[in-house]
Amino acid sequence: MRPSALPPTTMRRWATRGLLLIALVFLLKEASAIVLPVLVALILTFVLAPAVRTMRHHGMPESLSAAMLVTTLVGCTVLSVALLAEPVAQWWQRAPTAVSQALNQVDKWRAAIPGFGPPGERRSSSRSAPTPPPDPVRERIASESVALTAQAVGVGLKFMVSTAATTILLYFLLASEHWVLSRCIELLPHRPRLRAVVLGGLRAAQRDISRYVASVSVINFGVGLIVAGAMWFVDLPNPGFWGALAAIFNFIPYLGPLIMCGLLLVASLAASLGDSGVAALAAPVLSYLCIHAIESNFVTPLVVGKRLSMNPLSVLLSVMFWGWLWGVAGAVLAVPLLICLRSISQRNRRMRPVAVYLRGSDRPCTPLSTLLKPPPPRPPYAPVAVPVAVRVAVPVPPHVPQPSADAVAPVVPRPNALEQHRP
């Protein structure tokens, strides 16, 4: 009988850890209303904490500097929403007409393809069947869309409450960042090396996240301006709105540009650009793809640098996981959370293999044939020459008697333990 590879105790331990991890994932999914504002506030604290620290070194109180930064952030957000409110309302009103125009354009293309029946004949054949009499109650419910309106209001209220909670928590975290950090270090065991490692890891994660978010924000702002100019050049309505959407979706790696391409294609069909030809229809999407290709292949690697480079596969998996867990907000937080995980794993011996998979590298991989070769034999140990001690003749005074070669030191008998304590 072949013995098992792992003892039963180890198997039970790993099974318990796996069940605990699964329970933690579903707990995070259900507790998103509480966990998500806390995580967003922590990430923003990592980004804005260096500015608060700089102001504190110049003599400004932390509460005042935190209030200034939070007020500036909220003001910029409100101004952006106010500028985008009118284009969003216009596209929301045009949504039914835009969808019908897009479907009509698709029907024209399908009718031009041989092998597909014209849509008119299929519609006439479907209309030949007797239709049931209209239900006035059902038509009234469909026209009013009570359920959809209630759901939209509920989502809006939930978003406003989460935003308010995130803003208040961000202010308190920024105002007490130094106090919270010192108390966390004080709770650790009194070992200077452990405290230095924890503090260094927190500072490194804070520095990397702030650098990444600041760099990507500046890059996406530039991308939004260029995309707005490109949409204005190809005569797409509301170019500023599409530039803002491009800047927002560019925070989501890989999936954001795909969503943006789909939205631009639908907008092109809705704006009747397809009537001018295929070139006019594909111009918005192609111009956006060119801008995104230049940004992702040249600008972002140059600005972000190799220090923050991540493995593309790990980034994609992180975006998929956190997007499934928390939606668009989770997809935006995927890369900062991955940077935190890499900073922690680099300073933990047990988690260093995780850092190897997360770190991006331009070094070519070792061929598998080289990895399968046996290790080279170790060279035999060479004898090490031990230096001979040099004897130094020390002059002895003449009055000190010299011991003879035949003299033997007297042996003093060692007393027994019982004899020592005998009275």
Side-chain angles (χ1 to χ4, degrees):
M1 182 177 180
R2 184 179 178 181
S4 59
L6 294 176
T9 307
T10 306
M11 294 179 64
R12 285 196 297 269
R13 188 185 301 117
W14 281 104
T16 305
R17 292 177 180 176
L19 293 176
L20 181 62
L21 181 60
I22 294 174
L24 180 62
V25 169
F26 283 97
L27 178 63
L28 291 176
K29 188 174 180 63
E30 294 297 328
S32 60
I34 300 176
V35 179
L36 194 57
V38 175
L39 276 180
V40 173
L42 284 176
I43 296 298
L44 292 177
T45 303
F46 281 4
V47 175
L48 301 177
V52 175
R53 199 179 305 119
T54 304
M55 293 180 185
R56 187 181 73 244
H57 290 165
H58 286 82
M60 184 177 293
E62 292 182 346
S63 57
L64 181 59
S65 58
M68 291 176 55
L69 290 175
V70 172
T71 305
T72 304
L73 182 63
V74 172
C76 293
T77 305
V78 171
L79 181 61
S80 302
V81 172
L83 292 176
L84 295 177
E86 185 177 357
V88 170
Q90 292 178 1
W91 279 99
W92 183 263
Q93 292 177 358
R94 293 178 53 187
T97 307
V99 171
S100 62
Q101 291 178 359
L103 292 177
N104 292 333
Q105 189 68 31
V106 172
D107 288 340
K108 292 179 182 179
W109 290 347
R110 291 176 60 186
I113 299 176
F116 288 85
E121 294 182 1
R122 292 199 302 272
R123 290 174 182 172
S124 61
S125 61
S126 62
R127 291 175 183 174
S128 60
T131 57
D135 189 1
V137 178
R138 185 173 300 176
E139 289 182 357
R140 184 177 179 181
I141 293 176
S143 61
E144 293 180 354
S145 303
V146 178
L148 181 60
T149 305
Q151 185 177 3
V153 171
V155 172
L157 290 176
K158 183 179 178 181
F159 178 75
M160 291 177 62
V161 171
S162 300
T163 305
T166 303
T167 305
I168 297 173
L169 184 60
L170 174 62
Y171 168 74
F172 283 106
L173 287 176
L174 285 175
S176 59
E177 185 262 343
H178 182 70
W179 181 85
V180 171
L181 187 59
S182 62
R183 292 300 179 271
C184 292
I185 299 299
E186 187 179 355
L187 290 176
L188 295 175
H190 190 68
R191 287 185 290 177
R193 181 178 178 82
L194 176 62
R195 293 185 175 183
V197 168
V198 173
L199 182 59
L202 290 175
R203 291 302 188 193
Q206 189 180 53
R207 182 176 60 253
D208 293 345
I209 291 176
S210 61
R211 180 183 175 187
Y212 171 80
V213 173
S215 303
V216 171
S217 300
V218 173
I219 292 172
N220 292 347
F221 181 75
V223 168
L225 292 179
I226 297 175
V227 169
M231 297 304 109
W232 173 80
F233 183 76
V234 298
D235 293 333
L236 189 67
N238 303 116
F241 171 71
W242 296 110
L245 278 186
I248 294 173
F249 280 111
N250 208 32
F251 281 99
I252 306 176
Y254 304 112
L255 299 183
L258 292 179
I259 298 174
M260 189 65 193
C261 289
L263 292 177
L264 286 176
L265 182 60
V266 174
S268 301
L269 291 173
S272 301
L273 295 181
D275 297 337
S276 302
V278 180
L281 178 65
V285 179
L286 291 180
S287 58
Y288 172 74
L289 287 178
C290 292
I291 295 171
H292 174 68
I294 296 173
E295 175 266 328
S296 60
N297 293 316
F298 299 100
V299 180
T300 300
L302 182 63
V303 175
V304 174
K306 294 183 179 180
R307 181 174 182 178
L308 295 179
S309 62
M310 306 290 292
N311 188 6
L313 180 60
S314 62
V315 173
L316 180 59
L317 291 177
S318 179
V319 170
M320 293 174 62
F321 174 74
W322 295 109
W324 164 78
L325 198 64
W326 291 330
V328 179
V332 173
L333 294 176
V335 179
L337 292 176
L338 202 63
I339 293 175
C340 285
L341 179 60
R342 191 185 66 174
S343 299
I344 295 173
S345 59
Q346 284 178 349
R347 288 164 176 81
N348 194 345
R349 294 181 180 179
R350 296 181 179 180
M351 297 182 63
R352 283 179 183 174
V354 179
V356 174
Y357 286 100
L358 297 181
R359 189 186 306 115
S361 177
D362 297 334
R363 182 176 59 89
C365 298
T366 307
L368 295 178
S369 58
T370 306
L371 295 176
L372 295 177
K373 290 181 179 180
R378 295 182 178 179
Y381 292 101
V384 180
V386 179
V388 181
V390 179
R391 295 182 179 179
V392 180
V394 180
V396 181
H399 64 274
V400 177
Q402 297 292 329
S404 61
D406 298 335
V408 180
V411 179
V412 180
R414 186 176 182 180
N416 194 3
L418 296 176
E419 295 179 355
Q420 293 179 358
H421 298 283
R422 184 177 299 174

